[in-house]
Amino acid sequence: MRHTWWSWHAWVAGGLALSLVGAVVLARLELNVLREAFETDARIVHRLLSQRVLQHDAVLATLALLQPASGTTPDAAPEQRLPALYPQMLSVKRLAPGATWGEPALDQAHARSSASHRPELANAELAQGRYRLVMAAPPSGHTLLIDAKAMVPWDDWPMDVATSPVAVWLVHAEQRLVLQPGSPAAATPSEHGWTYVFHKRLAADSQPFDVVAQRHVGWAELPWPGILAWLVLVWAAVLGAVQVQRQRAGRQRAEALLRLDQVARLNTLGELAAGMAHELNQPLTAVLANTQAARRLLAEDPPELEVARNAMHQAAEQARRAADVLGRLRRSIERPDQQRTTKAIDLGAAIDRALYLLEPESTRRQVVITRDTPLGVTAWADPVALDQIIHNLLMNALQALERVPTSERTLRLVTTLHGGEASLQVIDSGPGIAPDDLARLFEPFFSTREGGLGLGLSLSESLAHGMGGRLAAAAHAPRGAAFTLVLPTGPQTA
Ligand code: ADP
């Protein structure tokens, strides 16, 4: 009983663990794939934008090198062709030698550039998507007005701008230019799910803008079909295993019951033998009577030979038949492989076995079973005989309980150690035993049950006696019967 309970729960626990581990592994794998794709895309975006801003530096450096010959008007200068080549360059201006830009932001950037010898940022209005670069090339200088959005190489862009869940921004001093909106959750990620962030400054020092990419993965994006398939697989396996287990338990139970039944039949034979021996008294008496009669007839003068011969014949006939019956019985009873062996047996474990075998019976009758069977109550007994006795007592109790309403069916099992003896009490709340019947319970063939053989208790008592123990019955207040099996705790000296 405990055995099946345990294994059933173990399978369910195992199934739960497998489901959980599998689901986590699948989710993890998917999240890894999403994260790697996100990081790869973000790195590509960073590289593309870095190339563009470095281009601006290169253009300005080249312009600084290519100082126009004096006297050329700014408009005729070759740099005016740049906006046609680079759509992000909205305008290019050259400073007249010795002049100032006449705009504080540009003049300051010019001064910084003179010191650093590289382009410097002015009027960075990133939120509007515009900024200027100034490069001093004494005595002159250049400025580029750049459209930040137009510098994005959309042809090489790794994502679909309209549908990608990834948000991409250019960030500079609290200003933010949205290059790709991403999903609503990417901009304001919720607590539920996973948020990936990529944050890296562009490669050109002159344009210290940060590329920020953000992606939010919600629960809905986990690989649910895969997880569901896994769960179905696991639970189908668990169900199959439980089914197989149950079938095997059922088979084992049936086999054990069959074994008990065989033992019972064998012992019943023993009981029958006792009855038969009693029956044999009659032919033996007839043999005796016939031989005595023959002796008397032979002693007469003249002897009644014919009648005496007939009496002797009868006697021999009866004797042969009696011998035949006895021989056949003895052969069927005295089987050398059925020799009894006694050893120490835990009563609690024996009860476990019997309850397990009778589980279908007790469940069907809805009997509430309570037990007070501590560990270590050990009896010295023959295991097969002990199983047989307990089985009989429990079966009797279950049958008795059938005669009371379902709600009143209780069965209590108590084991105790006392004075060198171990005892087992089987107490039921059935109809109990009529006082007149109490004295006859252990007689062979006494039964009040319809279809009962009346051999169970007499057999159990003989078995108990055979092991140096005893079996007793009593009424149990307020109602029901109590059977007590007492067994020695150690080997019996003959
Ligand atoms: P059977 O069960 O075949 O009748 P048993 O020897 O096992 O044979 O039982 C003999 C009789 O003892 C039963 O018919 C029944 O009247 C009585 N008996 C046994 N156990 C109980 C019990 N727990 N409660 C009431 N009566 C019982």
Side-chain angles (χ1 to χ4, degrees):
M1 183 173 65
R2 290 174 182 180
H3 173 71
T4 40
W5 181 90
W6 184 87
S7 39
W8 186 81
H9 279 242
W11 279 113
V12 171
L16 281 176
L18 260 182
S19 304
L20 200 72
V21 169
V24 167
V25 166
L26 284 174
R28 266 266 154 86
L29 285 176
E30 177 74 9
L31 288 173
N32 272 350
V33 167
L34 291 177
R35 172 189 278 277
E36 268 167 28
F38 165 79
E39 280 178 354
T40 307
D41 289 347
R43 273 198 302 274
I44 291 174
V45 164
H46 178 264
R47 202 180 58 233
L48 288 173
L49 293 173
S50 288
Q51 281 167 358
R52 286 298 159 101
V53 292
L54 284 170
Q55 221 168 40
H56 303 155
D57 278 6
V59 163
L60 280 170
T62 313
L63 287 177
L65 284 175
L66 302 175
Q67 288 290 341
S70 58
T72 332
T73 57
D75 287 345
E79 70 261 17
Q80 294 312 318
R81 294 208 302 277
L82 280 171
L85 290 174
Y86 299 104
Q88 77 267 34
M89 297 182 191
L90 296 176
S91 71
V92 189
K93 280 190 190 143
R94 188 160 65 86
L95 186 64
T100 63
W101 291 103
E103 200 181 313
L106 289 182
D107 287 334
Q108 283 160 16
H110 193 97
R112 286 201 305 276
S113 175
S114 298
S116 66
H117 304 292
R118 62 170 174 77
E120 291 287 344
L121 189 65
N123 309 87
E125 293 170 340
L126 206 55
Q128 275 78 52
R130 305 248 159 136
Y131 67 93
R132 270 179 193 282
L133 283 176
V134 178
M135 174 81 180
S140 172
H142 293 89
T143 173
L144 274 182
L145 176 62
I146 292 174
D147 179 341
K149 258 202 163 162
M151 80 182 178
V152 179
W154 295 116
D155 290 342
D156 301 328
W157 199 251
M159 295 166 276
D160 183 332
V161 186
T163 59
S164 169
V166 181
V168 182
W169 307 295
L170 267 184
V171 178
H172 173 72
E174 313 275 302
Q175 293 200 53
R176 193 157 93 161
L177 175 67
V178 178
L179 299 183
Q180 175 173 295
S183 67
T188 47
S190 72
E191 291 164 24
H192 308 292
W194 299 261
T195 305
Y196 307 144
V197 181
F198 175 93
H199 196 142
K200 197 168 176 189
R201 182 147 292 187
L202 287 178
D205 292 337
S206 60
Q207 292 143 87
F209 306 143
D210 291 333
V211 173
V212 178
Q214 204 157 295
R215 157 90 156 103
H216 183 78
V217 179
W219 284 91
E221 285 182 72
L222 293 182
W224 293 114
I227 291 177
L228 200 73
W230 171 251
L231 292 186
V232 167
L233 205 78
V234 166
W235 287 102
V238 167
L239 225 69
V242 168
Q243 202 59 29
V244 167
Q245 179 104 7
R246 206 178 272 172
Q247 275 168 6
R248 190 186 306 155
R251 220 169 29 242
Q252 283 169 351
R253 204 195 310 259
E255 279 166 12
L257 277 175
L258 193 71
R259 260 199 311 279
L260 270 182
D261 196 45
Q262 280 165 352
V263 172
R265 209 168 305 155
L266 209 74
N267 286 297
T268 307
L269 224 61
E271 299 290 321
L272 280 176
M276 291 301 265
H278 178 74
E279 298 293 314
L280 283 174
N281 238 355
Q282 219 142 6
L284 288 177
T285 313
V287 169
L288 198 63
N290 275 316
T291 48
Q292 277 171 349
R295 197 171 59 190
R296 221 177 31 250
L297 290 165
L298 289 173
E300 276 179 21
D301 191 23
E304 290 264 12
L305 282 179
E306 195 49 39
V307 187
R309 190 181 294 122
N310 194 27
M312 288 306 284
H313 180 73
Q314 291 263 332
E317 198 63 17
Q318 293 275 14
R320 195 174 305 121
R321 203 169 301 154
D324 272 0
V325 170
L326 278 178
R328 228 180 12 250
L329 266 176
R330 192 175 303 127
R331 276 197 302 283
S332 60
I333 297 162
E334 289 175 358
R335 291 184 34 190
D337 57 319
Q338 295 296 328
Q339 282 296 323
R340 292 280 148 88
T341 48
T342 47
K343 59 178 186 181
I345 302 171
D346 188 85
L347 282 184
I351 290 169
D352 278 349
R353 278 197 297 278
L355 283 179
Y356 171 66
L357 287 181
L358 288 173
E359 197 189 322
E361 301 285 331
S362 51
T363 309
R364 184 163 60 78
R365 296 177 172 87
Q366 298 176 35
V367 175
V368 177
I369 301 175
T370 58
R371 46 193 291 183
D372 182 4
T373 55
L375 281 177
V377 180
T378 305
W380 193 264
D382 166 44
V384 180
L386 180 63
D387 282 352
Q388 182 74 53
I389 298 173
I390 298 177
H391 180 83
N392 282 346
L393 294 181
L394 292 182
M395 199 59 221
N396 277 350
L398 292 177
Q399 282 165 347
L401 286 170
E402 260 178 2
R403 291 189 277 150
V404 297
T406 322
S407 60
E408 296 170 23
R409 296 178 183 171
T410 62
L411 176 60
R412 182 162 171 71
L413 302 164
V414 182
T415 57
T416 42
L417 271 180
H418 182 70
E421 290 181 322
S423 75
L424 159 66
Q425 271 197 299
V426 178
I427 305 162
D428 64 65
S429 62
I433 305 159
D436 288 348
D437 294 343
L438 200 56
R440 307 187 51 205
L441 283 191
F442 298 102
E443 284 177 16
F445 305 112
F446 172 80
S447 175
T448 62
R449 210 159 48 79
E450 198 180 324
L453 259 185
L455 285 174
L457 283 179
S458 78
L459 162 65
S460 298
E461 198 195 23
S462 312
L463 290 173
H465 268 287
M467 296 185 286
R470 57 191 184 276
L471 181 62
H476 185 75
R479 199 185 64 196
F483 283 81
T484 307
L485 170 69
V486 180
L487 289 169
T489 52
Q492 300 291 289
T493 43

